[in-house]
């Protein structure tokens, strides 16, 4: 079943619990290779990217099983093996294995790095940083081979704040000889979570959450119990779904401190909200007001992963909105699908789109092309008159544990078909 049927229009009402974070857990699972020990990850999200990472870790020799509250990973018997393409699949996060395997075992062989087709997604920052730490790379028949006689601390300046490159350097440096300084690094909360886990395991890291991180290499790390934090992008998806549908929703566990920019946009659109340690209560307006502009950027700016769903909310808002995407160049592939639903897209260039809101969208048959755009199309279906079929929705399970269950709990009429 690869399609989702949405019966519109729906006003979301009720409470939904926010799952564990995809982008926090994936580098943390890779980090468990550095411990040669057991770790337990409470609140681990049951999403396809996690299942794929589990398969890869098992391939390297980790013993893994689910328990009621989370995932148990024992890396004691792990060793580096060539990761074939069918195992690496289409997941961007295989790149984290590079830093973790080099740190733990001095070599890595990875077939290719996938991920959603939202941009070129080069890995040049990862490669040059690891080279600076003493890694030698070669490419043979589509495989990337990396080895080192032993990683050494280095002074690394990233050309721009890449989340993955920051995480990879952290993974590589926690067991390296000497001190590593990473400057110009990304400040995303998922980086902070990775450092919190590694520090519990015995790593010496300072400065995460700022643009300079200092890592003092240590001899060894031990395993730990770690609670995976709630997913700010899933929370943000339901936040904008509430704004777009004029709903009334409690986002239980939503990490409001990490959602400053999205909440500010939701407020400008006419929503009212209340944040507490339990989560975010949000009430959408009768009809949202368009914001003049949304510009994506590295954290703490507006996240690129919430751009599509915020765009959808503006498609039904009163007024016009300019969306400027500064991170990934292919995020606007959703626009042609939204046009099938009668969205009024006034102007589009590579990184910028101008949309004017319509009173309601029209139900149609559309196609998901990537994870976040796919989730945004489901939200568009909630705002549309009649039924909308979103095809190719297997992407959604990469990041959303059960978007249909969550939306049904909020009163939506959605089904997989
Ligand atoms: N970049 C380079 N060279 C590099 C690395 C990055 O040019 O070596 C460029 C990218 O092409 C992009 C920009 O730098 O234009 C930022 O990319 P970044 O490395 O920060 O992204 P990422 O690590 O590949 C993570 C998330 C993405 C999220 C971005 C931005 C994970 C597993 N993925 O990707 O999440 O959009 O950061 O916040 O953490 C998603 O969850 O749907 C998703 C795509």
């Amino acid at each position: 079943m690869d399609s989702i049927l949405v019966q519109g229009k729906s006003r979301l009402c009720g409470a939904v619990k926010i799952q564990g974070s995809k982008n926090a857990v994936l580098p943390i699972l890779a980090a468990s290779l550095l411990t040669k020990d057991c770790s337990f990850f409470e609140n681990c999200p049951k999403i396809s990217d996690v299942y794929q990472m589990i398969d890869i870790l098992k391939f390297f020799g980790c013993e893994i099983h689910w328990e009621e509250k989370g995932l148990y990973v024992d890396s004691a018997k792990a060793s580096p093996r060539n990761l074939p393409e069918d195992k690496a699949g289409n997941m961007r996060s295989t790149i984290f294995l590079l830093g973790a395997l080099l740190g733990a075992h001095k070599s890595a062989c990875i077939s290719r790095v996938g991920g959603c087709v939202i941009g070129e997604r080069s890995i040049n920052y990862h490669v040059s940083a690891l080279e600076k730490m003493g890694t030698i790379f070669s490419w043979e028949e589509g495989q990337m081979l990396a080895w080192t006689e032993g990683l050494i601390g280095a002074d690394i300046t990233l050309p721009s704040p890449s989340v993955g490159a920051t995480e990879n350097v952290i993974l590589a440096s926690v067991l390296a000889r000497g001190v590593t300084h990473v400057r110009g690094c990304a400040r995303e909360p998922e980086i902070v979570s990775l450092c919190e886990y590694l520090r519990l395991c015995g790593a010496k890291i300072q400065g995460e959450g700022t643009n300079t991180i200092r890592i003092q290499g240590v001899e060894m790390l031990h395993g730990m119990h770690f609670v995976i934090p709630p997913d700010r992008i899933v929370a943000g998806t339901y936040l904008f779904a509430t704004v777009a549908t004029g709903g009334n929703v409690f986002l239980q566990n939503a990490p409001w401190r990490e959602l400053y920019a999205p909440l500010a946009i939701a407020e400008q659109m006419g929503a009212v909200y209340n944040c507490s340690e339990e989560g975010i209560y949000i009430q959408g307006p009768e009809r949202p007001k368009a914001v003049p502009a949304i510009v994506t950027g590295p954290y703490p700016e507006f996240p690129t992963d919430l751009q599509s769903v915020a765009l959808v909310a503006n498609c039904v808002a009163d007024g016009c909105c300019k969306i400027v995407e500064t991170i990934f160049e292919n995020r606007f592939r959703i626009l042609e699908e939204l046009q099938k639903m009668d969205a009024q897209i006034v102007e589009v260039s590579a990184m910028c789109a101008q949309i004017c809101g319509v009173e309601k969208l029209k139900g149609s048959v559309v196609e998901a092309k990537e994870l976040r755009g796919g989730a945004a199309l489901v939200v568009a279906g909630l705002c549309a008159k009649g039924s909308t079929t979103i095809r190719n929705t297997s992407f959604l399970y990469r990041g959303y544990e059960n978007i249909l269950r969550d939306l049904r709990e909020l009163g939506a009429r959605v089904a997989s078909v």
Side-chain angles (χ1 to χ4, degrees), residues 22-23 26-27 92-93 96 116 118-127 160-165 167 186 188 190 232-233 304-305 326-329 331 370-372:
K22 162 173 102 63
N23 290 346
L26 293 169
R92 171 78 176 173
S93 304
F96 301 130
C116 279
I118 49 181
E120 188 176 330
R121 309 196 80 179
S122 160
I123 56 165
N124 54 339
Y125 304 169
H126 302 245
V127 170
S160 65
S162 154
V163 178
E167 291 169 337
E188 266 66 0
E190 294 76 22
R232 67 190 167 104
I233 303 302
T304 175
D305 292 338
T326 69
I327 309 288
F328 291 117
E329 62 276 19
R331 282 278 199 203
E370 38 91 14
L371 165 60
R372 305 300 175 190

Side-chain angles (χ1 to χ4, degrees), residues 88-101:
N90 190 25
M91 194 172 59
R92 171 78 176 173
S93 304
T94 49
I95 190 71
F96 301 130
L97 298 165
L98 204 55
L101 287 171

Side-chain angles (χ1 to χ4, degrees), residues 401-413:
E401 245 180 17
N402 196 336
I403 194 168
L404 296 184
R405 175 201 61 201
D406 290 350
L407 292 175
R408 271 193 217 115
E409 270 170 29
L410 298 176
R413 286 168 297 160

Side-chain angles (χ1 to χ4, degrees), residues 227-409:
V227 183
I228 303 300
D231 194 308
R232 67 190 167 104
I233 303 302
V234 172
T237 304
Y238 300 155
L239 175 89
F240 282 108
T242 308
V243 174
T245 62
N248 206 324
V249 168
F250 180 60
L251 303 166
Q252 191 189 339
N253 273 356
W256 56 271
R257 288 184 185 81
E258 301 170 1
L259 286 162
Y260 180 79
L263 282 168
I265 294 286
E267 192 170 34
Q268 284 177 54
M269 294 184 76
V272 288
Y273 65 88
N274 185 28
C275 299
S276 70
E277 289 318 307
E278 280 74 49
I280 303 173
Y281 166 76
I282 175 112
Q283 180 164 10
E286 198 54 43
R287 183 176 179 204
K289 289 190 289 259
V291 282
I294 296 177
V295 184
T296 66
Y299 187 83
E301 293 171 43
F302 193 90
T304 175
D305 292 338
L306 290 178
Q307 187 254 90
S308 303
V309 72
L311 185 153
V312 164
N314 277 280
C315 282
V316 289
D318 185 10
C320 297
C321 173
K322 186 174 173 181
I323 310 263
V324 184
E325 170 60 54
T326 69
I327 309 288
F328 291 117
E329 62 276 19
N330 278 342
R331 282 278 199 203
F332 286 136
R333 299 199 316 152
I334 187 179
L335 292 179
E336 57 183 298
E337 303 306 309
L338 288 172
Q339 269 169 329
K340 294 178 193 162
M341 301 179 74
D342 278 359
Q344 210 184 324
I345 319 287
V346 183
E347 208 183 312
V348 191
S349 61
M351 306 291 267
C352 181
Q354 172 92 22
I355 47 175
C356 288
V358 292
E359 291 238 0
K360 50 181 169 281
L361 296 171
K362 180 188 78 176
S364 185
V365 178
V366 292
E367 194 183 332
K369 292 175 179 163
E370 38 91 14
L371 165 60
R372 305 300 175 190
L377 286 173
V378 175
V379 175
L382 296 174
C383 303
K385 186 161 186 287
S387 63
T388 298
T389 303
I390 301 107
R391 290 197 175 137
N392 210 14
T393 45
S394 52
F395 286 119
L396 270 67
Y397 301 101
R398 295 181 70 160
Y400 297 83
E401 245 180 17
N402 196 336
I403 194 168
L404 296 184
R405 175 201 61 201
D406 290 350
L407 292 175
R408 271 193 217 115
E409 270 170 29

